[in-house]
Amino acid sequence: MKRHFSLLLAPLLALSLVTGAAPMAQAQSSQFAPVIRVNNLGITGYEIAQRTRFMELLGAKGDIRKQAEDALIEDRLRMWKARADGISLAPGAVQQGMSEFAARANLTAEEFVKALGQAGVDAQTYRDFVAAGMIWREVVKAHFAGRIQATDADVARALALETPKPEMTQVLLSEVIVRVGGGGEAEAMAKARRASAARTEAEFAEVAREISSSTSSRKGGQLDWMPIEGLPAEVRGAVMNLRPGRTTAPLSMPNAVAVFFMRGIDEGGDVAPGEQAVGYATLLLGATGTEETASLAAKVAADANTCDDLYSVARDLPAERLERVEGARRGELPADVAAAVSRLDAGETKVLRRGPNDVLVMLCDRGRAINTALGETGPSTDAVRNQIVNQRVAVMADALLDELKAEAVIVRP
């Protein structure tokens, strides 16, 4: 995820350790006193100094001490959430993780720890760094495994693109904002519960028009599409687990109480198109307006979900009435077919008028054009599906960490 240090810098770390950095001065006893508390979990001055040194060896730039403090706060939140959820690592898991990390610098775990020690970073600092990342993966898996999916249409769209940009989840919300007035938050909360009890978009819109203080009340509380990362942390945390048609509980905000209704979720994102190739099939249905044509079109709708199914539908027809084309590039498509398939997902159909006849076109697949003469091959479907899921899980995991940070009690004595 984006919050982790790049492991691609590990070889540079190996080089810096070989050249030998000066050991840190002996830590004073005061360094072991907590200087930050995160949900009552302490972070000592010594830990901050150690993480700062570790990050220097990883090649971090800028205000490294501030980055070290932020990273340790997030690590404490990861560990706190794991404890709250009853999640722990299997025996030996951290040692295995330490070995895998060290292997990126072509070292064993023992060699890596020894080199760190020579540069002034103790083994426990390294162990804590690895353990926090590993336990967070288990927390993320427990929260989101099985919930985040990539449909066949998502995969087909991704395969059609040469250079996809990172996916970003967008949400379509309606809101009710109740200002805290003379009656205080208790009165505002009571009003907000009416909105939270709404079971349909129409019910929620009616309540919004009646009690919401927001300018959106004129539209029944409706908001436009927005990226989930653009929402305040407390709102993002509340809506990220909602399904369309559900409302949040009332949320306390500065001088107001808010309720949100989920109208839609879009887990895709804009991407830059590459050179595309499509597979499609055409079936001559017959003369426009005839009973035979209508009957054959109805049979396709009922029995054909893929291009392969068309062979069964057309088995009693002359072979020339069904044509299958594989891997056609955009410039090779007939104009009417190109216009039709640009709006279709795999398995969808459109009926075209060609002279006196109706012709059905079905999109079989869509992918990046591959030049086999140059030995080009495309990514596997499973690899693309995993990539999409991982991107979406990363977004949700970052949102969860932001939520934890927003709700945390962080004290600096």
Side-chain angles (χ1 to χ4, degrees):
M1 288 176 284
K2 65 183 181 183
R3 300 178 184 276
H4 292 170
F5 306 120
S6 173
L7 299 185
L8 296 177
L9 296 176
L12 298 181
L13 172 59
L15 178 61
S16 69
L17 298 181
V18 170
T19 59
M24 291 178 59
Q26 179 67 31
Q28 301 298 317
S29 59
S30 61
Q31 286 187 288
F32 294 94
V35 295
I36 303 174
R37 289 191 177 276
V38 182
N39 290 347
N40 212 31
L41 299 176
I43 300 173
T44 68
Y46 182 68
E47 287 179 291
I48 295 173
Q50 281 279 292
R51 181 59 70 90
T52 300
R53 179 61 179 145
F54 185 45
M55 292 176 64
E56 287 175 346
L57 295 173
L58 288 173
K61 304 297 182 183
D63 188 346
I64 303 177
R65 182 179 175 87
K66 176 62 166 59
Q67 296 173 37
E69 289 185 8
D70 292 342
L72 286 167
I73 288 171
E74 292 183 351
D75 282 357
R76 289 297 189 273
L77 291 172
R78 294 179 176 109
M79 302 301 291
W80 180 87
K81 180 61 174 173
R83 292 180 189 177
D85 291 350
I87 295 173
S88 60
L89 295 173
V94 175
Q95 186 61 42
Q96 178 64 30
M98 293 170 68
S99 297
E100 292 175 0
F101 187 93
R104 296 175 181 268
N106 297 315
L107 298 172
T108 66
E110 292 75 16
E111 291 170 337
F112 196 77
V113 167
K114 181 179 179 180
L116 285 174
Q118 293 171 349
V121 177
D122 63 35
Q124 190 61 45
T125 296
Y126 177 42
R127 175 178 289 275
D128 291 345
F129 167 75
V130 172
M134 295 185 69
I135 198 70
W136 184 242
R137 285 197 292 270
E138 295 304 312
V139 170
V140 170
K141 187 186 302 182
H143 274 258
F144 304 117
R147 281 190 50 219
I148 308 300
Q149 304 290 335
T151 66
D152 290 344
D154 293 331
V155 175
R157 185 168 60 245
L159 284 170
L161 305 161
E162 196 166 30
T163 53
K165 290 190 279 187
E167 302 277 340
M168 179 173 289
T169 299
Q170 296 192 78
V171 290
L172 188 63
L173 301 173
S174 294
E175 65 177 359
V176 165
I177 308 294
V178 182
R179 302 295 179 192
V180 175
E185 185 172 346
E187 181 179 335
M189 186 70 70
K191 290 181 179 179
R193 289 195 186 99
R194 286 183 53 200
S196 187
R199 292 293 175 263
T200 66
E201 183 178 347
E203 289 179 20
F204 191 89
E206 183 178 350
V207 176
R209 293 187 183 95
E210 181 181 346
I211 68 172
S212 182
S213 303
S214 173
T215 56
S216 64
S217 63
R218 295 190 298 270
K219 299 189 296 181
Q222 290 186 353
L223 302 173
D224 294 330
W225 285 101
M226 64 184 72
I228 195 168
E229 286 192 325
L231 295 171
E234 62 272 19
V235 176
R236 181 167 61 245
V239 305
M240 59 191 272
N241 293 320
L242 287 182
R243 297 195 301 271
R246 298 294 182 88
T247 60
T248 67
L251 306 174
S252 293
M253 304 181 74
N255 303 315
V257 179
V259 179
F260 295 89
F261 180 91
M262 177 69 76
R263 289 160 37 223
I265 302 174
D266 180 4
E267 294 179 331
D270 292 334
V271 287
E275 186 176 11
Q276 296 180 353
V278 299
Y280 69 94
T282 58
L283 176 63
L284 176 60
L285 297 176
T288 301
T290 64
E291 184 176 342
E292 176 196 4
T293 297
S295 176
L296 187 54
K299 186 171 179 58
V300 171
D303 298 337
N305 296 313
T306 69
C307 288
D308 289 341
D309 296 334
L310 290 176
Y311 292 103
S312 296
V313 173
R315 63 177 177 268
D316 296 327
L317 299 175
E320 62 270 17
R321 291 183 61 173
L322 176 62
E323 182 181 10
R324 180 88 174 256
V325 178
E326 302 282 1
R329 297 169 188 259
R330 284 176 294 179
E332 300 169 345
L333 297 175
D336 56 351
V337 171
V341 300
S342 67
R343 298 178 179 274
L344 298 179
D345 287 328
E348 292 184 335
T349 64
K350 183 175 179 59
V351 175
L352 309 176
R353 179 75 64 84
R354 285 183 174 175
N357 296 317
D358 283 352
V359 176
L360 179 139
V361 59
M362 174 181 282
L363 178 65
C364 304
D365 54 68
R366 194 193 304 276
R368 185 167 67 89
I370 303 299
N371 188 339
T372 55
L374 298 178
E376 292 182 354
T377 58
S380 71
T381 298
D382 287 343
V384 171
R385 191 183 304 276
N386 289 337
Q387 181 183 27
I388 294 171
V389 170
N390 289 338
Q391 288 172 342
R392 293 174 180 175
V393 168
V395 170
M396 302 302 281
D398 286 338
L400 176 59
L401 187 58
D402 286 342
E403 178 190 3
L404 294 175
K405 191 180 295 185
E407 296 176 350
V409 178
I410 302 175
V411 179
R412 297 173 185 267

